[in-house]
Amino acid sequence: LKTGMKADVRPEGKGQPVYQAMITVVNRVVDSASGTFGVRLEMPNANKTIAAGLACSVKFHLTSVESP
């Protein structure tokens, strides 16, 4: 994963729409206990339609990197 890559974010729940986000930070430090690392995504939410803390699933577009 790299900054600039895109991802689809789908909030939990039946029939929820898919939102497009972009990776802004990839934490290179891996938690050895869980084998995980952090990734920060940003996406528009101007109308505040997506509540903070909502559980979501994410599908990364592994071939999409936005040009600078």
Side-chain angles (χ1 to χ4, degrees), residues 1-11 17-25 39-45 50 56-62 64-66:
L1 299 177
K2 298 179 187 179
T3 59
M5 293 178 82
K6 295 181 182 174
D8 292 332
V9 178
R10 181 185 301 271
V18 175
Y19 299 94
Q20 187 143 93
M22 186 170 33
I23 297 174
T24 58
V25 175
V39 177
R40 181 178 299 162
L41 302 171
E42 286 186 7
M43 61 187 206
N45 191 23
I50 306 166
C56 298
S57 61
V58 178
K59 181 179 177 186
F60 294 100
H61 297 208
L62 299 178
S64 68
V65 177
E66 199 168 277

Side-chain angles (χ1 to χ4, degrees), residues 27-57:
N27 187 343
R28 298 292 178 194
V29 178
V30 176
D31 176 8
S32 60
S34 65
T36 62
F37 60 95
V39 177
R40 181 178 299 162
L41 302 171
E42 286 186 7
M43 61 187 206
N45 191 23
N47 297 330
K48 311 262 189 275
T49 54
I50 306 166
L54 186 63
C56 298
S57 61

